[in-house]
Amino acid sequence: KYEKLWLALSLVLILAFIATVTYGAVGAGVSMVADDEEPVNPDTLGDHPQFGEPGVEQVGENEYEAYVIAEQFEFTPDPIVVPEHSTVTFYVTSPDVIHGFGVVGTNANTMVIPGEVAKITVETDEPREFGIVCNEYCGAAHHAMEGKLVVV
Ligand code: CUA
């Protein structure tokens, strides 16, 4: 007779686990949103309106969008320069294999899958630098795949 209770309890635990995994914080706070973004064609990224020229654009008073490409074995742009005390949403994709996009020292971290767009929203605090690393094995120079996030 406790079966339903256990089932409900384990569902709650699973949801809590998912919430923990998909929500994190940098300095003031980084929230990771596992959202369904429009898929992109890895073969024609150069023609994509945003990924064709990856970079940071202002979309609101203190709001920015950063389009980033992760590929063997670098992040573009590098460094990614964003303003302090603002909300930055990263959109990251890959033209080749699966990579990671992790902001060192924070729990902002996502897998980057070719054809898909990973999205992470970060609240920046004071000016400082963060390392960016790839945390999915992606080939011979995986360990050297690094970038920089500079908050100015
Ligand atoms: Cu890219 Cu490991």
Side-chain angles (χ1 to χ4, degrees):
K1 59 187 167 187
Y2 290 114
E3 268 176 29
K4 277 194 177 147
L5 183 63
W6 282 116
L7 192 65
L9 210 61
S10 40
L11 266 176
V12 168
L13 280 175
I14 290 168
L15 286 176
F17 178 71
I18 292 171
T20 310
V21 169
T22 54
Y23 195 84
V26 170
V30 165
S31 60
M32 291 178 46
V33 184
D35 230 346
D36 285 333
E37 295 305 310
E38 286 288 311
V40 287
N41 183 343
D43 299 326
T44 57
L45 274 190
D47 300 328
H48 188 276
Q50 278 85 32
F51 289 114
E53 267 182 80
V56 179
E57 52 188 68
Q58 185 165 13
V59 292
E61 196 182 342
N62 289 305
E63 285 181 47
Y64 297 82
E65 288 181 348
Y67 287 85
V68 178
I69 291 179
E71 64 190 310
Q72 289 168 325
F73 294 98
E74 59 185 7
F75 295 97
T76 307
D78 185 23
I80 302 166
V81 180
V82 297
E84 60 178 331
H85 300 291
S86 56
T87 302
V88 183
T89 302
F90 292 90
Y91 295 91
V92 193
T93 194
S94 162
D96 45 35
V97 300
I98 292 176
H99 295 282
F101 178 86
V103 184
V104 177
T106 76
N107 51 6
N109 180 30
T110 186
M111 193 186 272
V112 181
I113 300 168
E116 296 185 15
V117 178
K119 179 181 177 185
I120 304 185
T121 302
V122 174
E123 302 286 339
T124 65
D125 197 346
E126 303 293 322
R128 60 166 288 189
E129 281 188 20
F130 295 90
I132 291 174
V133 290
C134 173
N135 34 39
E136 297 291 331
Y137 182 76
C138 55
H142 156 71
H143 62 280
M145 181 166 170
E146 309 180 323
K148 224 171 226 157
L149 171 64
V150 182
V151 179
V152 293

